[in-house]
Amino acid sequence: MAYEVTATRRRPQKFEDLIGQEFVAATLKNSIQSGKIAHAYLFSGPRGCGKTSTARIFAKALNCEKGPTPSPCGECSACKEITKGSSLDVIEIDGASNTSVNDVRQIKDEVQFPPNSSRYKIYIIDEVHMLSNSAFNALLKTIEEPPEYIIFIFATTELQKVPATIKSRCQQFNFRLVPIEKIKEQLALAAAEINIQADDEALYWIAKESTGSMRDAYTLFDQVAAFSESHITYEKIRDKLGLVGTDRLNALFEECAGANPSGAEDKLNEFLQAGISIEQLITNSADYLRSLLLIKNGIAKESLLGQDSARFSKAVLDSWTNVQIERALSIFLNLYRDIRYSLSPRYEIDLAFSRLCWLKEYVSPAEVKVAVDQARSLLATSPGGTPQDFSDGAEIGLGGAPKEFHPEPMTEMPTDPDLIKDALISSFSLEDEALASLLKNTDEWTFDGQKICANISDAFQKSRIEGRVQTLRTRMSQMWGKDLLFEVQEQAPVVEEKKEVKIPDEVNLLVKVFKGEIVGGKV
């Protein structure tokens, strides 16, 4: 008997065989039982999830000799012909290769003739979104008011490309991706049918790689079964398909978690020399990091991880935080996009793993904010340990002043002007950094017991200090209990006279010999 691929051999033949589409199957069965059969249906959903198979089952249910029935017998001539694709009354059309208006006109002419031997003449148009706008327009009247024996079933993977005028004339059914657990169950049954032993881990990997498509899962299963002989294992899949595998990734990422760039580079070079492609390594690394992130968040479901959580390195999980693993995952997601335009993909992946070796030092913006808040809380505490009041809007370094000031009690006021200057600068350094900075730029303070005079060479800074004189007087009164005057004077900047520098004879000799000149410098 000729070989038949698994996807064809296990194509659903009744509504109960549809995997993951229970809602669609139940709705169609109820409509048949109640006799409420529409004249046009639109099946949409991702590839390989059962749209065309459902259309054929529905056609058999309507044209079965025992029907219309939700459970076609599969034994009558109508059922067998539909299963083989040879029925004259169930016409399957590929929308991708019959896109013109002339193809639709042919359908319009054919619908005038009743079915040959069946109850309904059914048109199944696959990939209907590929039809041209003119073809869609030509279909409008036909699908809105067709003869009572005509039923249209449209299937598409891109619902958004189907015109709204077509959608409004059809009953719409949205097909969903098949869950991984159900795909794995079907793969196990397929393996048992052909007497092949398959490990659960290998079947989980195939189911995960199919991304919810039963047809993709069966196709990959056939490929794996071809080189696995009588026993499908994850190790065979890993070696034959050039996968890295969890054990190898554990060793590589343990070097990164241990901040060992040389060891990580040796492991990386070993994998690439073994024939593993850079794209495959990036994909497997991203999947590995995703699994680590799930485990760190308390998710150990095997269907999500693809394998037992115990297989992942505990050393890597303990070394990196959730935020650091998120950062590592984003590195590989960006790397997969960047290597398409890179000078050298090898350089890119070397750089990525080098960054992973220093991942422990990565600090997220959220952690920086927490550290800044903690530092601000410490800075906002007075020397006596009492938090200062910033309720009137004063901010550190923004030139505001606190609502109240509680200086440490002083026994007496210093008489040295420099000590008075330092005390005032220290007093304003936390809550009024701008004023403290202005005071630092002054020089030659004098104090006669009643008035403090300060000199400054910049007129603009002088005017700013004069606008804050009352603040300075209030602060000095609070600190020393004295009402003192404060005056700031502008002082002309001191210009140093240029001194004539005598050039040594040795330098003049060098200038003469090398025909040069002295352009600057100190002697």
Side-chain angles (χ1 to χ4, degrees), residues 200-219:
D200 283 347
E201 186 177 6
L203 295 181
Y204 266 122
W205 181 85
I206 296 173
K208 186 176 64 172
E209 289 296 310
S210 67
T211 62
S213 170
M214 278 304 311
R215 184 171 62 233
D216 288 4
Y218 285 141
T219 301

Side-chain angles (χ1 to χ4, degrees), residues 365-413:
E367 292 172 317
V368 172
K369 181 182 181 300
V370 171
V372 170
D373 290 342
Q374 292 175 347
R376 186 177 186 275
S377 176
L378 292 174
L379 291 174
T381 305
S382 65
T386 304
Q388 297 182 10
D389 187 357
F390 287 86
S391 60
D392 64 342
E395 296 288 342
I396 295 178
L398 298 182
K403 192 172 183 180
E404 294 183 7
F405 175 73
H406 302 283
E408 291 184 351
M410 299 186 66
T411 56
E412 58 180 344
M413 179 182 176

Side-chain angles (χ1 to χ4, degrees), residues 328-446:
L329 181 57
S330 68
I331 289 175
F332 280 94
L333 294 178
N334 292 328
L335 176 61
Y336 189 81
R337 291 189 291 264
D338 293 343
I339 60 172
R340 301 180 185 180
Y341 310 104
S342 174
L343 173 67
S344 172
R346 176 61 191 269
Y347 297 167
E348 296 281 355
I349 198 168
D350 285 342
L351 178 60
F353 278 100
S354 177
R355 288 172 176 169
L356 290 187
C357 291
W358 308 108
L359 191 61
K360 283 186 177 180
E361 300 181 10
Y362 171 74
V363 180
S364 68
E367 292 172 317
V368 172
K369 181 182 181 300
V370 171
V372 170
D373 290 342
Q374 292 175 347
R376 186 177 186 275
S377 176
L378 292 174
L379 291 174
T381 305
S382 65
T386 304
Q388 297 182 10
D389 187 357
F390 287 86
S391 60
D392 64 342
E395 296 288 342
I396 295 178
L398 298 182
K403 192 172 183 180
E404 294 183 7
F405 175 73
H406 302 283
E408 291 184 351
M410 299 186 66
T411 56
E412 58 180 344
M413 179 182 176
T415 57
D416 188 344
D418 291 334
L419 294 179
I420 297 174
K421 176 182 177 181
D422 292 341
L424 287 174
I425 292 174
S426 177
S427 172
F428 287 108
S429 61
L430 289 181
E431 74 272 12
D432 198 340
E433 187 177 347
L435 181 55
S437 179
L438 290 172
L439 295 178
K440 288 180 182 178
N441 293 333
T442 60
D443 49 21
E444 294 185 13
W445 284 40
T446 60

